[in-house]
Amino acid sequence: MKAAIAVLLALCAAATTGLVPIKRQGETEAPKVILDNDWGPTDFILVLMALASPYQILGLTSNTANSWALQCSLHALRSLQLGGLENCIPVHKGTDYPLLNTADLQQSWEYIHGALPWSGAFAPMNMTAEAAGSDPTDGNPNRIVPSSFVDGKAPDLNQLNGTMAAAFMVDMVREYPGEVSIYAAGSFTNIALAIRLDPTFAQNAKELVFMGGYIDTNLLMVTGSANEADINSDINIKIDPEAAKIVLTADWQNITLVGNAANSVFLNQTDLEEIYNVNNSFSQAMMQYFQAYFPLWDATALAVMLEPETVVTNSTDFFVDVDVAWYSPYYGNVRASQQMYAPKGQTLRSVRYPFAVDVERVKELVRDAVMQPGSCEDN
């Protein structure tokens, strides 16, 4: 009897120190995800979609792409505050600048090779657009535009987690090797830094799912409207091509690029009215800020991660490289190869590339997530 009690006490002591994890019979670990994004006013859609899934959100991290990482961090925090989620999901600010690219370099490249439809954070300052709710663009990563936040108030900077995004990613993958999916929408800068901080980072993550990597869209960019040119560019890679090169050649177990297929997914007026009729804090924010003339890029990429067998209706695999020659007109473009023609002088990775997705299922996931938002208990 004494021996049994001693064993029981030892197990309890070990459990409190984290040495012996206790798991109920039949209980399984939830898959885990880090959501890395250049967060905007309505990107809470991603958080709500993940909460409605079996995934556990370990944290949100911000990067510089559409706007600066600081502004995007505050959007992520405000998204959580809309649903009382700020105490159970941390927000980690990413690095301000790409690895090499700067606003001056971007403008010089555009002067030589032609303007990009959208230059993201490096676009010239537009005070008129900011007054109407747009995020800051120019050369200052520390400038905050309150008008782009729901209710016109930027969250308190002190509510951001002090651990930088790349370090947080490394810590989580070390704590849960083989279990953490990295979802990326925006630049690859944080993830490239994580790979450089820990050479085992990519191989110990479960997978990488990325919104970007457009293939053969040049004709669409020159034969359609200005908006058509915009949605077929690739700012998530082009704002930091060097980081993209590091990330897409790292030794991940699985890589999925959701590029062209995401351009087919839009919310129509019927979808929006269905969401607005629910009248919760998220639907109100969508009514104020959602830009229905853009595809559901980020939500489509996340849907591919959450339900790959359901959402992806046609896909293929090939090897990818990123053009990092600054003098090239294709600087920041993905270069695709089948295996027999892949470059022999470098190690490239095979990626999964969806050609087509179930548009109605993606929209259903978005509608359900916003209309029935999850809580901390769902995480």
Side-chain angles (χ1 to χ4, degrees):
M1 182 67 177
K2 290 182 179 179
I5 293 174
V7 170
L8 180 61
L9 291 174
L11 285 171
C12 291
T16 60
T17 59
L19 295 177
V20 179
I22 303 299
K23 187 180 295 185
R24 296 182 180 88
Q25 186 174 4
E27 185 180 38
T28 59
E29 292 290 343
K32 299 168 178 63
V33 64
I34 295 171
L35 301 173
D36 185 54
N37 196 12
D38 53 348
W39 300 90
T42 59
D43 284 328
F44 51 74
I45 292 171
L46 305 177
V47 177
L48 299 180
M49 288 174 65
L51 284 178
S53 77
Y55 277 80
Q56 177 189 358
I57 305 171
L58 296 177
L60 312 183
T61 56
S62 69
N63 58 63
T64 290
N66 275 339
S67 189
W68 296 98
L70 178 58
Q71 177 89 359
C72 296
S73 296
L74 296 179
H75 274 308
L77 183 58
R78 190 70 185 104
S79 293
L80 298 178
Q81 292 173 344
L82 288 175
L85 301 166
E86 67 274 19
N87 293 322
C88 60
I89 301 175
V91 178
H92 299 262
K93 177 182 173 294
T95 185
D96 289 327
Y97 293 100
L99 299 185
L100 294 178
N101 205 12
T102 65
D104 288 342
L105 283 174
Q106 185 69 52
Q107 291 167 15
S108 297
W109 182 90
E110 291 188 36
Y111 180 77
I112 296 170
H113 297 294
L116 295 175
W118 171 237
S119 299
F122 294 157
M125 183 185 297
N126 187 332
M127 298 299 289
T128 302
E130 289 179 12
S134 293
D135 287 320
T137 57
D138 63 15
N140 183 359
N142 297 312
R143 198 165 59 84
I144 298 170
V145 176
S147 60
S148 70
F149 295 93
V150 176
D151 71 20
K153 297 178 182 178
D156 186 347
L157 293 175
N158 294 324
Q159 293 179 281
L160 298 174
N161 191 286
T163 305
M164 294 297 289
F168 169 71
M169 290 180 178
V170 168
D171 288 344
M172 290 298 97
V173 169
R174 286 178 175 176
E175 185 171 349
Y176 305 107
E179 298 181 42
V180 181
S181 295
I182 305 296
Y183 167 87
S187 70
F188 271 131
T189 313
N190 294 328
I191 303 171
L193 291 174
I195 291 168
R196 288 297 187 249
L197 283 171
D198 181 356
T200 69
F201 173 78
Q203 69 188 59
N204 285 331
K206 179 183 177 182
E207 63 179 337
L208 170 70
V209 178
F210 175 64
M211 176 53 238
Y214 289 96
I215 304 291
D216 296 334
T217 58
N218 187 240
L219 188 60
L220 293 173
M221 294 179 68
V222 300
T223 56
S225 64
N227 191 58
E228 187 81 3
D230 188 357
I231 70 174
N232 282 287
S233 60
D234 217 350
I235 188 63
N236 288 352
I237 291 181
K238 294 183 81 69
I239 200 162
D240 196 347
E242 289 77 18
K245 172 84 170 183
I246 290 170
V247 172
L248 294 180
T249 56
D251 52 350
W252 302 90
Q253 296 183 44
N254 296 286
I255 303 174
T256 302
L257 299 185
V258 184
N260 303 29
N263 280 352
S264 65
V265 188
F266 292 83
L267 288 180
N268 58 36
Q269 190 59 37
T270 301
D271 299 319
L272 292 172
E273 288 175 0
E274 187 176 355
I275 291 171
Y276 298 158
N277 286 337
V278 173
N279 194 28
N280 59 39
S281 59
F282 295 107
S283 64
Q284 291 173 8
M286 283 190 69
M287 188 180 298
Q288 184 176 0
Y289 285 103
F290 186 74
Q291 298 173 320
Y293 47 85
F294 286 135
L296 284 170
W297 288 305
D298 298 352
T300 301
L302 185 60
V304 167
M305 189 196 84
L306 298 177
E307 295 187 5
E309 302 305 322
T310 303
V311 169
V312 178
T313 58
N314 189 8
S315 68
T316 190
D317 298 285
F318 49 72
F319 289 78
V320 296
D321 195 8
V322 179
D323 190 336
V324 291
W326 187 85
Y327 50 80
S328 168
Y330 302 105
Y331 177 60
N333 281 67
V334 164
R335 314 300 292 171
S337 306
Q338 56 178 301
Q339 187 170 14
M340 69 178 70
Y341 300 121
K344 301 298 188 293
Q346 56 180 326
T347 302
L348 301 184
R349 303 293 171 184
S350 178
V351 305
R352 186 190 189 204
Y353 198 87
F355 281 140
V357 295
D358 185 333
V359 172
E360 292 306 315
R361 179 55 183 159
V362 175
K363 296 198 311 181
E364 182 181 23
L365 289 171
V366 171
R367 290 195 307 268
D368 289 351
V370 178
M371 293 167 63
Q372 304 175 46
S375 65
C376 282
E377 293 180 357
D378 298 306
N379 201 39

